[in-house]
């Protein structure tokens, strides 16, 4: 059976099962590559035109709906209680995904437990708002990836936690490497980013962005305004946060090579190396504070510290430390304890289960 190609036009009714996904992907990738090339040469008017072309294309809309209906949160509804679980609902969603007259609904606020026992707020958009974010993210991501800090690893395509840890090894393993580390912790990064800074500096449809940022949220049937921050739970939020922090690495290039200043960042967690404690405390820290202040952010004084490599530090779930000049990277004590607690609980909850079955169940879980 020949696949019907319906990616060239958004006219008429569309059957979800008839969409040529390979063609849709090629169309979007082609436009994204053109956005990258225009960004590299600074042709921002062309960038805007290409972004409009992508966000109004059938291919972009179809892939946006596909993304939000196939991810882990597809069964979690927003304030309207709707999910797109049928092919018919997905087809209608593609047809109705339009920027003209678009008004996002408030976010639904829920809480999830953190590892320290506290609760983390999570904001859940409606399916339509998620799809609109996915659509505009496809036009924003080529720019964010083009201009991103080289040693930024969190929430980026083809990059992972392991890459950030590997970069830490590269920066710290040699005998001549830095021995002092500035451990940066941003207080409530996602919750406090200045909206005015985002609207002025994020290269996307300003009206759409402003509507997302000012949509508000509902908690216990009460509507609250959103005056700052980008909501955790939104598809665009990690990219917006990354773009907010991009540029810090460029600020650090003013230091001399012998200062051994290197940045490794994963989302809002970062370290900066230096050849002396005084350099990090009196020059690096004020520079970082000034950079963050312009974006409405600040360092957490309780969690920000300057550490010697012989003492070691925890970063992204591992402990990085030199023992007699040799750098070792091991799971942090906190993560080891959490893993052992999970194993103990599994054994305690299944005392009557045969050992071989318990081991098989554990293998599937871990």
């Amino acid at each position: 059976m020949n696949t019907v190609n319906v990616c060239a036009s958004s006219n008429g009714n569309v059957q979800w099962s008839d969409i040529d996904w390979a063609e849709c992907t090629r169309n979007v990738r082609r436009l994204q590559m053109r956005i990258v090339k225009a960004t590299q040469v600074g042709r921002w008017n062309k960038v805007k035109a290409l972004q409009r072309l992508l966000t109004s294309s059938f291919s972009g809309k179809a892939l946006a709906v596909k993304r939000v209906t196939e991810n882990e949160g597809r069964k979690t509804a927003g304030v309207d209680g709707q999910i797109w679980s049928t092919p018919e609902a997905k087809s209608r969603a593609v047809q109705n995904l339009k920027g003209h007259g678009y008004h996002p609904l408030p976010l639904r606020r829920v809480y999830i437990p953190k590892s320290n026992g506290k609760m983390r707020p999570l904001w859940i958009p409606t399916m339509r708002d998620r799809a609109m974010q996915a659509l505009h993210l496809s036009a924003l991501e080529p720019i964010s990836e083009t201009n991103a800090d080289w040693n930024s690893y969190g929430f980026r395509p083809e990059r992972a936690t392991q890459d950030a840890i590997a970069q830490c090894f590269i920066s710290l393993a040699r005998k001549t490497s830095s021995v002092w580390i500035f451990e940066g912790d941003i207080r409530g990064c996602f919750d406090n980013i200045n909206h005015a800074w985002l609207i002025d500096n994020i290269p996307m449809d300003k009206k759409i962005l402003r509507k997302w940022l000012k949509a508000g949220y509902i908690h216990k049937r009460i509507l609250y305004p959103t005056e700052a921050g980008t909501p955790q739970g939104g598809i665009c939020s990690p990219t917006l946060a990354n773009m907010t922090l991009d540029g810090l690495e460029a600020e650090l290039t003013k230091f001399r090579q012998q200062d051994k200043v290197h940045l490794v960042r994963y989302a809002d967690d970062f370290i900066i190396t230096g050849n002396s404690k005084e350099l990090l405390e009196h020059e690096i820290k004020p520079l970082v504070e000034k950079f963050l202040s312009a974006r409405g952010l600040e360092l957490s004084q309780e969690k920000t510290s300057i550490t010697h490599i012989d003492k070691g530090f925890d970063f992204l779930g591992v402990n990085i430390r030199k023992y007699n000049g040799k750098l070792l990277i091991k799971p942090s004590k906190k993560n080891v304890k959490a893993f052992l607690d999970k194993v103990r609980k599994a054994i305690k909850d299944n005392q009557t289960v045969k050992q071989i079955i318990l081991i098989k169940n554990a293998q599937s879980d871990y």
Side-chain angles (χ1 to χ4, degrees), residues 195-357:
H195 281 179
W197 190 93
L198 286 171
I199 293 169
D200 290 342
N201 292 276
I202 300 299
M204 64 168 288
D205 189 310
K206 305 298 183 183
K207 291 182 179 179
I208 295 289
L209 178 59
R210 185 178 287 106
K211 288 177 180 179
W212 285 343
L213 297 175
K214 301 298 183 182
Y217 66 91
I218 291 178
H219 181 56
K220 295 183 178 179
R221 299 186 178 182
I222 300 175
L223 176 63
Y224 297 89
T226 45
E227 302 297 340
T230 175
Q232 295 187 59
I235 291 177
C236 259
S237 294
T239 299
L240 293 177
N242 264 336
M243 296 183 77
T244 301
L245 298 176
D246 282 335
L248 179 57
E249 192 166 23
E251 292 286 331
L252 298 173
T253 57
K254 72 176 187 179
F255 292 95
R256 301 169 302 171
Q257 186 174 358
Q258 52 265 41
D259 291 329
K260 302 176 184 178
V261 175
H262 301 287
L263 169 74
V264 181
R265 180 169 67 84
Y266 189 95
D268 58 338
D269 292 329
F270 65 93
I271 64 162
I272 301 174
T273 65
N275 68 350
S276 71
K277 184 177 182 179
E278 291 72 24
L279 173 70
L280 294 176
E281 188 170 358
H282 300 303
E283 296 189 49
I284 298 294
K285 186 177 180 180
L287 183 150
V288 172
E289 289 175 332
K290 181 180 178 181
F291 177 87
L292 295 177
S293 177
R295 292 152 174 78
L297 302 172
E298 63 179 3
L299 291 171
S300 170
Q301 299 303 323
E302 300 81 17
K303 297 181 180 180
T304 297
S305 60
I306 298 174
T307 310
H308 195 279
I309 191 63
D310 289 344
K311 182 180 178 182
F313 63 97
D314 290 346
F315 184 59
L316 302 178
V318 299
N319 179 262
I320 303 173
R321 181 179 174 183
K322 271 188 177 178
Y323 297 83
N324 297 322
K326 183 177 180 63
L327 187 74
L328 296 181
I329 299 177
K330 305 182 294 183
S332 66
K333 290 182 179 179
K334 179 181 175 181
N335 276 25
V336 171
K337 182 180 182 302
F339 177 78
L340 292 177
D341 288 345
K342 192 173 181 180
V343 172
R344 291 188 185 103
K345 185 177 185 303
I347 295 173
K348 186 176 180 180
D349 293 345
N350 297 275
Q351 293 183 12
T352 60
V353 176
K354 290 184 178 180
Q355 186 180 41
I356 189 170
I357 297 176

Side-chain angles (χ1 to χ4, degrees), residues 1-9 14-28 58-60 62-63 66:
M1 179 184 295
N2 293 327
T3 303
V4 180
N5 184 348
V6 293
C7 286
S9 172
V14 176
Q15 297 299 317
W16 187 256
S17 58
D18 291 338
I19 297 177
D20 186 342
W21 294 111
E23 181 66 17
C24 287
T25 302
R26 282 193 292 270
N27 291 340
V28 169
F58 177 85
S59 297
L63 287 175
K66 187 174 188 290

Side-chain angles (χ1 to χ4, degrees), residues 155-216:
F155 304 111
R156 294 183 59 192
E158 309 300 329
R159 294 194 173 206
T161 308
Q162 292 85 347
D163 298 313
I165 296 171
Q167 185 58 39
C168 289
F169 183 86
I170 292 170
S171 301
L172 296 166
R174 297 184 181 90
K175 291 182 179 180
T176 57
S177 297
S178 309
V179 295
W180 289 99
I181 299 94
F182 176 84
E183 300 175 67
D185 186 276
I186 302 173
R187 189 191 306 275
C189 179
F190 282 83
D191 299 335
N192 295 304
I193 300 174
N194 185 279
H195 281 179
W197 190 93
L198 286 171
I199 293 169
D200 290 342
N201 292 276
I202 300 299
M204 64 168 288
D205 189 310
K206 305 298 183 183
K207 291 182 179 179
I208 295 289
L209 178 59
R210 185 178 287 106
K211 288 177 180 179
W212 285 343
L213 297 175
K214 301 298 183 182

Side-chain angles (χ1 to χ4, degrees), residues 97-160:
L97 205 61
K98 299 175 182 178
H100 181 69
Y102 168 68
H103 294 284
L105 291 175
L107 305 157
R108 181 164 72 92
R109 187 173 187 174
V110 298
Y111 289 88
I112 57 174
K114 296 171 65 174
S115 58
N116 59 7
K118 296 182 180 181
M119 302 299 287
R120 181 194 301 276
L122 191 67
W123 289 265
I124 302 175
T126 63
M127 292 297 293
R128 186 182 183 218
D129 294 334
R130 279 179 247 175
M132 283 294 288
Q133 288 192 27
L135 175 61
H136 283 269
L137 178 59
S138 66
L140 178 63
E141 201 167 58
I143 304 172
S144 69
E145 285 300 302
T146 302
N147 295 331
D149 284 350
W150 182 253
N151 286 305
S152 164
Y153 297 94
F155 304 111
R156 294 183 59 192
E158 309 300 329
R159 294 194 173 206

